[in-house]
Amino acid sequence: MSSVSAAVPAPREGTPPGIWGIWFFVVSEAMLFFALFLGYFYLQSRSTEWPPLGAPSLPLTSTTVNTIFLLASSGTMQGAILSLRRGSQRSLQWWLLATLFLGGLFLSRQVLEYSSLAAEGLTIRAGAFGSLFYTITGFHGAHVLVGLVGLLALVIRAYRVGFSPGRSQVVEGVGVYWHFVDVVWIFVFTFLYVLPAAGIAFTAPSLLGPELH
Amino acid sequence: MKRVLLYPGLVRGFLGGLGGYVLGIGSVMGVRPLIGLGPGEPGLVITLALVPGLVGYLLGLGALDYWLGWVGGRADAEGEDAHEAPSSGWARYFVFNTDHKVIGLQYLITALLFFLIGGGLAETFRLELAAPGLQFLSLTTYNEFISAHGIIMLLLFIIPSLTGGMGNYLVPLMIGARDMAFPRLNALSYWLYLFGGLFLLLGLVAGGFGAGWTAYPPLSVREPLGQTFFILALIVIGFSSIFGAVNFLATIITLRASGMTWWRLPLFVWATFATAIITLAATPALAGGLFLLLFERLLGTHFFDPAQGGDPLLWQHVFWFYSHPAVYIMILPAFGIISEVIPVFSRKPLFGYRFVALSSIAISALSFSVWAHHMFTSGMASWLRLPFMIMTMSIAVPTGIKFFSWLATMWGGKIRLDVPMMFAVGFIALFLLGGLSGIFNAAVPVDLHVQDTYWVVAHLHFVLVGGSVMGLFAAIYYWFPKMTGHHLNPTLGKLHFWLTFIGSAVTYLPMHWLGLYGMARRVADYDPAFGPLNFAITVGAIILGGSMLPFLFNAVWSWVKGPKAEPNPWHALTLEWLVSSPPPPHNFDGTVPQVVGFPYDYGVPGAQHAVLHQASGGER
Amino acid sequence: MGKRSILLLAGALLLAGAVGVAIVLNIPWFPAAAFSEARAIGSLFNFILVVVVVIFVLVEGLLVYSLIRFRRRPGEEEDGPPIHGNTPLEIAWTVIPALIVLVIGIYSFKVLQDIEVSPRSLQEPLVVKVIARQFAWQFEYPEYNVSSAELHLPVGRSVEFQITSMDVIHSFWLPSLREKMDALPEMVTILRATPTTPGDYEVICAELCGLGHAKMRARLIVEEASVFQIWLEQQQAMVQGEDTLAVGRRLFQSQGCSACHTLRDAGAEAAIGPALDVLPETAASRKPGMRAYDYIRESIINPDVYVVPGFPAGVMPKGFDQRMSGAELDTLVRYLLEGSAAK
């Protein structure tokens, strides 16, 4: 197996391809959530009442706590990146573990929230509102899960062989992705939890489509 | 035999996929009863088992070997490495090979095989439509055939052949790179595409899907199991496209040879760049929409059910938000190809290079603001139609720039009508018709009549056959010597061209009149008064199908026995012609490309686009 | 390239353009028009057609001319002149097409206003509810309490179609109007038109709606107001005076059953679903222990409970128990069981 890379170009200053790549990928992912949010607001605009009558209100307080956990995990991730740049393998391991833990905590609390909401009657089949809620938060959760798999891979490698000190395209790439997942959550939280709780809704049933029967 | 099975590649990939699938189905149907659920309906089981199926497939292929090894600490991922698998002989095309030239040909040949399947479906239902009444297809089969024809041609043939095939093969060569930025991701894109394509074909036998390639709910929610295959296949192919787009963007931005400034970039590279932007930004919307449709079928969600607060128009918005830009994904690379071919065979510089390059970017930007022109008759709020009409018409402007630039390039040149140039000229002649009928479609009052009729069928086929397919063939005839090291037979090529050109005109021209006169699209039967024209269309379709015979024979025969090709048979300037035919494994082995000038300086005495320096010691 | 040959080329292109325009304007592009809106759309179409033909002749003409005039002669080895561009020319071919599409856009907007927004008639429009289902059309006239499988319209009075669907998306296309509008479930879309020319025209479904899509057609009859009035009265009288069998036959037709089934008595000859002429003999034996009456009733309301071998499930639309009253359903079942075979 040759050790000379086929892809590394004649030495070139600036952002390496891997970082460009992860950023483009994140832009693409952002478009996915953009489409989901547009769908959310589109169906909201087609309704007369949002959230629909009878839908249980979403738990704002416990979700705020969960939001803080997730945002904190962005901080620990950045800690991991900085420790690697400093060359400290030990603190890299700890920061990665902390990130993994916070992400896992977020996800398990999300699952608990699902089960209590389902007990209150809000299921994925409970009208368009239920479908949107579970789909959008579920998509976000799936992204957290993918991030956790990436983090787990970093942790395993960090413990088995460690990373060469300095900048690592892989660690920083996972970092960019993880920050992205957090930023998306801020939008999810605002659009799905905060705005309805504040009584802000955009409803105009015949602005964009035909009248309902 | 044992060696073939154990070797990471196609066979092991399929076995792995099958194993993963069996495991997945078994565990889904085994676990569900344990938690008090039924074994699950087939669509749900198929969907849940897709993940282990896909993982098994990739493990079998060896696509994950490197990363698993990296996690375990065996390799260093900081430098990408390629070419671990067989790098010569036919075997390299059947394994997880990371050479962009191998991947390009894998894409191209797979896409052409899907083209034959999609074409076969079209020939079959054209024979059915040769006379009014039902001859030999049932109504159900007819709907399944038109749906499969549409989706196969668009997503399994045109996009993968132009972007995956031509883009992969040419972009690194043209910019002077050794490979793509992420060779492993590149290979992954191809193998995901193959998986998605075969999965879609599986859907044809597993109940079929008959809601058209557009899959509008509620119809697509009520379709049989095959529709679930359709959705899953498209999601997998979507991932493949997105990975490809990420790769092209990173490659074009970071791996250009020294001296290759943006204003020296060949126009095919510009076009691929613009295409990748569209793919990157639009495809996720489709993937999101497909997931919603999947949930609607499997989980009983209500996104598209107006009785429960949903709206079927939501699907149309999301679908066209991707699928209209996708039209430009299909045509921009062809524009790029034509911009490469015309200067070489006119022996003149491309006229107005910067306008042509920027018009690609303008088209990709505008393409995101026109989607609802597919929905003028959908019941969408009527005030929305005006802005979408204006934006749609404005796309005529950058497209016009390209046409006039090509004509001006030919004007006063020394035109050589070799086969690639014939296809390029055919492209201009036929695509023009598709572009012009598009102006009618954009005008809302006319669209109220022509929407969903044969007029639209004519329009889109002039765009896609007259445009994308003609462009693809121009590219194949132009770069075949580079890719294979052999010349194609020009006589058979000319026969292929004339059959394609005449076949297209006979097939698609009469459709305009049929549509205006009252023939809706996607119908298995029609007014007997339309019989004679439909018969003529079927004759045209047979000519078009027949055009593939000289082409296939020519391609296969020439690849094996054709006369050897020199490095630069067309006397072109761009970088791929500076290396041998076919190029060496790392494209510029032993040399370093240095770009020194404009790529289309034909007629300028002593002009050079690039030179190859001997590599200094450190470089391989 | 001399001035003379440029002039010659321009003249030839002009001539070809004129000939092209003359030809395309004399092709009968459209079927007969029945509504006033069709004329406005036709004029817009012709306007765009003229513009497009001129562009077509210009581009194809220049292409063919270049291929002949600038073809490399045998023995010629040198390249063409290295002209890289001409900025004023490039700006011209950016601006001129922009102006052309702007003009087309403005004209289109005006036509759209004319056919959709401006009032055509001072009197109240005739409201026709258009109900689409797989694979038949039903037209209701709430004003007159009439329901029909044929669309009848009086000349001179503008119509408002209130379009809806019972199942999937369909599209209500009147080629004689040059307009269509999708029929969506649970929603009402609107199309307005003014019939002007009596005649026999077509209603076509233009959106793929399942396997019977190609067969989903109905007649449109535009007639003088007096004839329309007679038709309305006939329909009303039929409803009042008809015996049970006639009511059953009418329900069979107006509910769209004829679109998929064969039943000689009702003049239905379609073959998407099972033929119903033999129903009186087969109905009792389809499901063991179930009476023929109950079987037929169940098959109408919930067609997938028992599917006749050789036919696909999930094709027959549901919801007939919502579209018909219990008494109507009973009448239809009796008609299928007794009436149709009695003859």
Side-chain angles (χ1 to χ4, degrees):
Chain A
M1 195 163 93
S2 80
S3 59
V4 177
S5 155
V8 173
R12 186 180 264 273
E13 296 301 312
T15 317
I19 300 301
W20 277 105
I22 191 72
W23 272 105
F24 282 125
F25 185 67
V26 158
V27 166
S28 195
E29 291 273 43
M31 287 302 292
L32 170 70
F33 283 97
F34 176 73
L36 290 174
F37 289 139
L38 278 191
Y40 176 79
F41 284 109
Y42 178 79
L43 290 184
Q44 181 171 333
S45 83
R46 301 282 285 134
S47 320
T48 45
E49 188 82 35
W50 198 266
L53 288 174
S57 57
L58 302 175
L60 198 55
T61 325
S62 77
T63 311
T64 308
V65 173
N66 223 10
T67 305
I68 293 168
F69 287 149
L70 196 63
L71 293 185
S73 78
S74 251
T76 54
M77 186 70 221
Q78 204 53 33
I81 291 169
L82 294 177
S83 9
L84 184 62
R85 284 190 197 166
R86 279 200 322 271
S88 163
Q89 300 285 342
R90 193 88 197 128
S91 82
L92 169 76
Q93 291 168 358
W94 281 110
W95 282 122
L96 283 177
L97 275 180
T99 314
L100 198 62
F101 172 75
L102 285 168
L105 190 65
F106 172 87
L107 213 52
S108 39
R109 285 177 52 100
Q110 187 76 29
V111 171
L112 289 179
E113 183 184 311
Y114 276 7
S115 65
S116 72
L117 281 173
E120 286 182 65
L122 186 68
T123 65
I124 197 166
R125 292 168 189 241
F129 180 72
S131 303
L132 283 166
F133 171 77
Y134 284 101
T135 301
I136 293 176
T137 53
F139 258 105
H140 177 263
H143 280 75
V144 175
L145 194 64
V146 169
L148 289 178
V149 171
L151 282 168
L152 193 65
L154 294 188
V155 168
I156 294 175
R157 184 168 162 103
Y159 276 90
R160 288 188 68 130
V161 285
F163 289 86
S164 38
R167 303 178 77 109
S168 156
Q169 283 192 51
V170 179
V171 176
E172 302 206 357
V174 172
V176 169
Y177 181 82
W178 191 255
H179 293 323
F180 161 75
V181 169
D182 290 358
V183 170
V184 167
W185 176 254
I186 294 175
F187 285 99
V188 175
F189 183 58
T190 311
F191 293 155
L192 269 62
Y193 291 82
V194 177
L195 289 187
I200 299 168
F202 165 65
T203 54
S206 37
L207 180 69
L208 298 172
E211 266 175 61
L212 287 159
H213 232 0
Chain B
M1 186 63 193
K2 196 175 163 198
R3 215 181 131 256
V4 173
L5 290 184
L6 292 180
Y7 201 76
L10 191 66
V11 176
R12 216 183 74 171
F14 283 147
L15 290 178
L18 200 65
Y21 235 96
V22 170
L23 198 72
I25 291 174
S27 46
V28 171
M29 294 180 68
V31 167
R32 280 178 58 100
L34 292 183
I35 52 173
L37 297 166
E41 57 125 352
L44 191 63
V45 176
I46 294 290
T47 306
L48 293 173
L50 178 65
V51 177
L54 207 49
V55 171
Y57 168 75
L58 294 177
L59 279 174
L61 274 176
L64 305 179
D65 290 1
Y66 176 86
W67 286 103
L68 293 176
W70 177 83
V71 170
R74 266 188 280 131
D76 189 356
E78 300 300 308
E80 292 276 358
D81 200 354
H83 312 305
E84 295 154 36
S87 57
S88 60
W90 61 270
R92 66 189 151 149
Y93 294 103
F94 296 91
V95 297
F96 191 80
N97 189 303
T98 54
D99 180 350
H100 73 99
K101 297 184 290 300
V102 172
I103 296 171
L105 285 172
Q106 285 174 325
Y107 260 117
L108 194 58
I109 290 164
T110 313
L112 285 171
L113 292 175
F114 281 119
F115 181 44
L116 295 182
I117 296 173
L121 290 169
E123 296 295 334
T124 313
F125 64 69
R126 256 341 297 182
L127 285 176
E128 166 63 50
L129 290 169
L134 285 179
Q135 273 64 246
F136 57 93
L137 286 183
S138 73
L139 292 169
T140 319
T141 318
Y142 179 83
N143 285 352
E144 287 168 7
F145 276 24
I146 56 145
S147 308
H149 165 72
I151 202 74
I152 288 175
M153 288 305 204
L154 299 175
L155 293 192
L156 300 185
F157 163 55
I158 295 182
I159 295 180
S161 62
L162 287 172
T163 309
M166 291 300 163
N168 257 311
Y169 199 97
L170 297 171
V171 166
L173 278 166
M174 284 182 149
I175 64 173
R178 307 168 69 111
D179 206 313
M180 297 283 279
F182 314 114
R184 259 183 299 278
L185 189 68
N186 200 17
L188 185 67
S189 297
Y190 167 74
W191 290 98
L192 285 178
Y193 152 66
L194 180 67
F195 184 94
L198 295 175
F199 204 71
L200 188 83
L201 294 188
L202 218 52
L204 270 182
V205 281
F209 43 88
W213 77 277
T214 49
Y216 279 11
L219 185 63
S220 56
V221 177
R222 298 166 177 218
E223 282 291 305
L225 182 63
Q227 192 76 44
T228 300
F229 279 81
F230 171 99
I231 295 171
L232 295 173
L234 261 58
I235 291 173
V236 173
I237 294 167
F239 272 105
S240 155
S241 300
I242 292 172
F243 291 154
V246 167
N247 221 335
F248 280 121
L249 291 173
T251 305
I252 295 170
I253 289 175
T254 61
L255 300 189
R256 279 170 289 128
S258 131
M260 181 65 92
T261 60
W262 287 92
W263 292 126
R264 283 174 176 172
L265 217 48
L267 284 161
F268 180 73
V269 181
W270 268 107
T272 304
F273 190 79
T275 307
I277 292 176
I278 303 178
T279 308
L280 189 81
T283 315
L286 176 72
L290 285 166
F291 273 109
L292 302 190
L293 195 57
L294 187 70
F295 297 163
E296 199 90 341
R297 287 173 61 84
L298 301 181
L299 306 179
T301 56
H302 300 290
F303 298 107
F304 311 120
D305 175 7
Q308 298 277 345
D311 186 348
L313 294 185
L314 174 61
W315 167 260
Q316 299 180 23
H317 280 296
V318 173
F319 179 82
W320 289 115
F321 183 82
Y322 164 78
S323 293
H324 195 79
V327 174
Y328 299 99
I329 296 177
M330 293 177 233
I331 200 65
L332 279 175
F335 284 165
I337 288 162
I338 302 306
S339 299
E340 296 294 332
V341 170
I342 290 203
V344 173
F345 292 90
S346 304
R347 310 310 302 167
K348 263 186 71 198
L350 188 86
F351 197 93
Y353 167 90
R354 289 193 183 200
F355 267 55
V356 175
L358 290 178
S359 66
S360 288
I361 303 296
I363 288 174
S364 74
L366 284 174
S367 72
F368 284 95
S369 58
V370 301
W371 79 88
H373 69 220
H374 294 271
M375 298 171 64
F376 286 155
T377 66
S378 69
M380 155 188 97
S382 46
W383 67 269
L384 284 169
R385 299 189 286 191
L386 185 64
F388 281 104
M389 171 169 83
I390 300 296
M391 296 313 288
T392 303
M393 287 189 170
S394 67
I395 282 204
V397 176
T399 313
I401 290 175
K402 290 185 188 284
F403 267 78
F404 294 124
S405 296
W406 295 329
L407 287 176
T409 305
M410 290 169 65
W411 186 268
K414 302 280 178 197
I415 296 171
R416 285 191 330 218
L417 258 185
D418 291 314
V419 182
M421 185 63 172
M422 292 176 81
F423 275 97
V425 170
F427 173 100
I428 297 179
L430 293 181
F431 180 83
L432 179 68
L433 280 162
L436 293 177
S437 58
I439 298 177
F440 292 91
N441 304 349
V444 178
V446 178
D447 189 62
L448 296 181
H449 186 60
V450 300
Q451 167 75 4
D452 282 326
T453 68
Y454 258 72
W455 169 282
V456 171
V457 178
H459 163 72
L460 71 93
H461 281 91
F462 271 114
V463 169
L464 294 174
V465 178
S468 309
V469 176
M470 284 298 228
L472 175 71
F473 282 127
I476 290 177
Y477 281 94
Y478 181 54
W479 280 292
F480 189 90
K482 178 56 60 187
M483 292 172 165
T484 65
H486 296 275
H487 281 291
L488 282 163
N489 177 298
T491 312
L492 284 172
K494 285 176 185 168
L495 178 65
H496 175 209
F497 168 77
W498 283 111
L499 289 176
T500 312
F501 189 83
I502 295 167
S504 302
V506 176
T507 308
Y508 305 123
L509 274 176
M511 291 183 178
H512 292 106
W513 190 86
L514 282 176
L516 291 174
Y517 231 76
M519 186 162 160
R521 69 190 286 198
R522 295 169 164 171
V523 288
D525 188 14
Y526 49 82
D527 192 328
F530 299 147
L533 272 187
N534 270 291
F535 184 78
I537 291 173
T538 300
V539 170
I542 292 170
I543 297 174
L544 208 46
S547 76
M548 286 306 284
L549 296 176
F551 168 69
L552 290 175
F553 175 76
N554 196 0
V556 173
W557 187 83
S558 302
W559 201 328
V560 181
K561 293 226 155 171
K564 285 254 183 282
E566 56 276 35
N568 191 1
W570 312 115
H571 308 290
L573 288 174
T574 40
L575 259 164
E576 76 273 26
W577 304 107
L578 294 188
V579 294
S580 62
S581 300
H586 294 282
N587 296 349
F588 302 97
D589 281 6
T591 60
V592 178
Q594 165 79 36
V595 179
V596 294
F598 187 64
Y600 307 109
D601 268 341
Y602 302 103
V604 179
Q608 275 185 320
H609 170 53
V611 290
L612 298 180
H613 295 303
Q614 283 308 308
S616 51
E619 199 81 26
R620 208 174 58 143
Chain C
M1 196 75 209
K3 246 197 187 113
R4 236 191 83 180
S5 51
I6 296 264
L7 277 177
L8 262 172
L9 175 64
L13 287 176
L14 214 62
L15 188 68
V19 172
V21 168
I23 291 172
V24 295
L25 286 183
N26 281 297
I27 294 176
W29 291 107
F30 294 98
F35 297 84
S36 64
E37 289 76 7
R39 191 170 308 122
I41 295 175
S43 309
L44 175 63
F45 180 87
N46 282 339
F47 176 75
I48 302 177
L49 191 62
V50 169
V51 173
V52 155
V53 165
V54 169
I55 299 174
F56 179 80
V57 167
L58 180 76
V59 172
E60 305 282 10
L62 285 175
L63 188 66
V64 171
Y65 179 83
S66 301
L67 285 178
I68 298 168
R69 173 73 178 72
F70 303 117
R71 184 82 178 270
R72 164 138 55 175
R73 308 281 175 265
E76 258 185 331
E77 280 304 323
E78 73 274 30
D79 287 347
I83 302 164
H84 285 90
N86 179 331
T87 309
L89 190 62
E90 288 166 47
I91 289 174
W93 69 44
T94 308
V95 172
I96 293 173
L99 290 176
I100 292 175
V101 294
L102 188 68
V103 170
I104 294 176
I106 292 171
Y107 187 11
S108 302
F109 179 63
K110 191 185 162 297
V111 171
L112 192 63
Q113 292 272 315
D114 288 348
I115 61 176
E116 292 206 328
V117 182
S118 62
R120 266 143 308 193
S121 150
L122 292 175
Q123 65 185 133
E124 279 288 293
L126 170 69
V127 172
V128 179
K129 289 191 172 174
V130 178
I131 297 154
R133 66 160 64 88
Q134 292 170 322
F135 303 97
W137 297 100
Q138 186 184 346
F139 306 99
E140 287 184 357
Y141 300 75
E143 212 176 312
Y144 305 103
N145 208 11
V146 162
S147 171
S148 162
E150 279 182 355
L151 177 58
H152 285 249
L153 296 174
V155 161
R157 183 173 172 193
S158 61
V159 191
E160 178 174 300
F161 297 108
Q162 299 177 352
I163 307 158
T164 191
S165 163
M166 298 303 295
D167 37 55
V168 300
I169 299 177
H170 302 270
S171 194
F172 175 65
W173 182 25
L174 302 177
S176 56
L177 170 63
R178 324 281 190 251
E179 290 185 53
K180 65 175 65 69
M181 180 54 72
D182 283 6
L184 300 165
E186 308 282 337
M187 289 184 240
V188 182
T189 49
I190 306 287
L191 197 60
R192 296 190 188 87
T194 310
T196 51
T197 319
D200 201 337
Y201 308 95
E202 278 190 304
V203 179
I204 297 173
C205 177
E207 182 70 64
L208 178 63
C209 58
L211 84 170
H213 169 55
K215 312 270 186 190
M216 190 168 160
R217 294 154 163 267
R219 276 177 82 193
L220 159 64
I221 293 149
V222 176
E223 52 209 1
E224 296 298 341
S226 54
V227 183
F228 177 69
Q229 206 57 42
I230 294 168
W231 176 76
L232 279 177
E233 281 158 20
Q234 276 174 352
Q235 295 294 311
Q236 288 162 336
M238 248 167 61
V239 177
Q240 284 151 14
E242 67 196 343
D243 57 13
T244 327
L245 291 189
V247 177
R249 188 181 304 121
R250 182 172 52 76
L251 284 168
F252 186 86
Q253 288 159 342
S254 69
Q255 293 293 326
C257 312
S258 3
C260 298
H261 296 279
T262 295
L263 187 66
R264 257 175 300 141
D265 181 63
E269 297 175 325
I272 292 169
L276 300 180
D277 283 312
V278 292
L279 196 55
E281 292 101 71
T282 56
S285 55
R286 284 293 189 201
K287 286 177 80 176
M290 192 176 222
R291 289 190 309 141
Y293 177 92
D294 295 328
Y295 167 73
I296 298 175
R297 199 183 143 90
E298 182 190 77
S299 298
I300 294 173
I301 299 174
N302 209 343
D304 289 337
V305 176
Y306 176 88
V307 180
V308 176
F311 292 90
V315 171
M316 180 158 154
K318 293 160 193 68
F320 283 109
D321 47 341
Q322 285 139 41
R323 292 301 306 168
M324 285 185 282
S325 67
E328 282 177 324
L329 197 56
D330 176 66
T331 310
L332 182 59
V333 174
R334 284 185 190 289
Y335 167 70
L336 288 172
L337 192 56
E338 298 151 12
S340 58
K343 308 253 157 92

